[in-house]
Amino acid sequence: MSAPVWLTLAHIALVLGMPFLLVGVINRTKSWWAARQGPGLLQSFHDLRRLLRKRPVVSHTATPLFRASAWVVLACSLLAMGFAPLLGQFAPLSFAHDFVAMAYTLGLARLVLMLAAMDVGSPFEGMGAAREAMFGAFAEPALFLLLGTLSAATGLSSFADLLGHLHHTPYYALIVLPLTLALLILLQTEAARVPVDDPQTHLELTMIHEVMILDHSGPDLAAMQYAAGLKLTLYAGLIATLLNPFDPLVAPLAAIATSIGLMLAVALVVGCFESLMARLPLKWVTGYVWVAGWLTLLAAAVVGVTGGGL
């Protein structure tokens, strides 16, 4: 087989398995900080399999939109993963300005999730949808500013080339830290992790993502949880690609192994975050998400001042 075929298969394997492993590493890290044994690394996989065997319970006020929402969100998340370069300078779906397609695919998933939350008429889920829209409005400009910075630094237009070729530019050493921190904040925001959200909270008044899927059950809930794990994997993979020095077309085994190790390291960092700090008050969350925007703006200024063409 040619290298792209092997890389495509490796990419698919990561998409299928890494969401469970990353969640498992985060939970085990939190258990380690709490001096507990904690769940197994693949506990989320067993939870998902258990949910798939259950019969969904749907509110009598729900419309067909609600019934289809979980699978639309999952399909959009899987499609977005095809655009994401998880292994370095390679993505199965790659073309000029493909990052716009990825961003709007994730935006469609967000829209359907919010509509489904409001469809059942629950005030709690409507409140969660409003918060999701607000924080998304702050996170998406930071993501596009980050992508614009990469485009200015590399002069390229496909997502895989933007991240993979950045290592060969003179700006890499100057902007890698702010871009990595910005992606980490975007991960915490988009994947509903502490300090932005708490996926294990039981207080509806403080929930964001979890409150929007309170009425989902059985296979529908499994689809929503897997889609959330895919978004976690997507941003962890982007951080790994940003830091991965190996070209997967030249050294595929080294690139794959390094990407997996870096993604697991990101999960470890996320678990330490969730163990060592509490969730931020809601009024502070917007300021925290704005930090990602300021970091990307700093990186853009560095590229512009040093001749990147901004």
Side-chain angles (χ1 to χ4, degrees):
M1 289 187 184
S2 61
V5 176
W6 280 109
L7 292 175
T8 300
L9 293 176
H11 185 100
I12 293 173
L14 283 182
V15 170
L16 293 177
M18 193 57 73
F20 305 113
L21 190 57
L22 292 183
V23 173
V25 170
I26 292 173
N27 290 335
R28 287 300 293 267
T29 302
K30 294 165 65 176
S31 299
W32 181 82
W33 279 103
R36 295 185 291 108
Q37 182 177 357
L41 288 177
L42 296 179
Q43 182 60 48
S44 59
F45 170 76
H46 299 300
D47 293 340
L48 203 71
R49 191 174 59 176
R50 173 178 52 83
L51 287 172
L52 290 173
R53 294 197 296 263
K54 292 182 177 290
R55 180 175 62 87
V57 178
V58 181
S59 170
H60 67 278
T61 63
T63 68
L65 170 65
F66 177 84
R67 296 180 176 90
S69 61
W71 305 103
V72 173
V73 171
L74 178 59
C76 289
S77 300
L78 288 170
L79 179 59
M81 293 297 291
F83 296 112
L86 305 180
L87 300 173
Q89 196 173 347
F90 173 81
L93 302 177
S94 181
F95 49 87
H97 308 296
D98 52 359
F99 53 83
V100 177
M102 187 207 74
Y104 278 96
T105 301
L106 292 176
L108 176 60
R110 188 198 307 277
L111 175 63
V112 173
L113 176 61
M114 292 189 299
L115 290 175
M118 295 184 289
D119 186 69
V120 294
S122 167
F124 287 119
E125 295 191 40
M127 179 177 59
R131 293 170 177 171
E132 177 75 11
M134 179 178 66
F135 298 142
F138 289 105
E140 288 175 2
L143 176 62
F144 274 102
L145 183 57
L146 183 146
L147 295 170
T149 302
L150 294 176
S151 181
T154 62
L156 302 173
S157 58
S158 74
F159 202 3
D161 290 338
L162 291 180
L163 283 172
H165 190 71
L166 185 66
H167 299 83
H168 308 297
T169 66
Y171 318 106
Y172 180 75
L174 299 174
I175 66 176
V176 62
L177 180 59
L179 291 184
T180 301
L181 294 176
L183 282 173
L184 180 61
I185 294 174
L186 290 176
L187 179 152
Q188 294 169 330
T189 304
E190 297 285 10
R193 309 302 307 191
V194 175
V196 176
D197 195 8
D198 187 355
Q200 296 182 344
T201 184
H202 298 288
L203 300 174
E204 291 87 349
L205 288 173
T206 64
M207 292 179 179
I208 300 176
H209 178 267
E210 294 300 316
V211 75
M212 291 191 292
I213 61 175
L214 284 178
D215 274 278
H216 289 85
S217 59
D220 295 343
L221 180 58
M224 285 293 194
Q225 291 183 348
Y226 189 55
L230 287 173
K231 190 174 286 190
L232 172 66
T233 303
L234 188 150
Y235 280 94
L238 295 184
I239 296 174
T241 298
L242 185 63
L243 301 176
N244 190 350
F246 296 103
D247 186 344
L249 298 177
V250 177
L253 293 180
I256 293 172
T258 303
S259 289
I260 293 175
L262 288 171
M263 292 171 72
L264 294 177
V266 170
L268 183 66
V269 170
V270 172
C272 291
F273 255 98
E274 299 189 4
S275 301
L276 299 176
M277 68 180 300
R279 177 188 165 172
L280 294 173
L282 282 174
K283 62 181 180 180
W284 293 359
V285 171
T286 52
Y288 182 72
V289 179
W290 263 112
V291 173
W294 288 114
L295 288 169
T296 54
L297 185 61
L298 173 63
V302 169
V303 174
V305 169
T306 55
L310 283 180

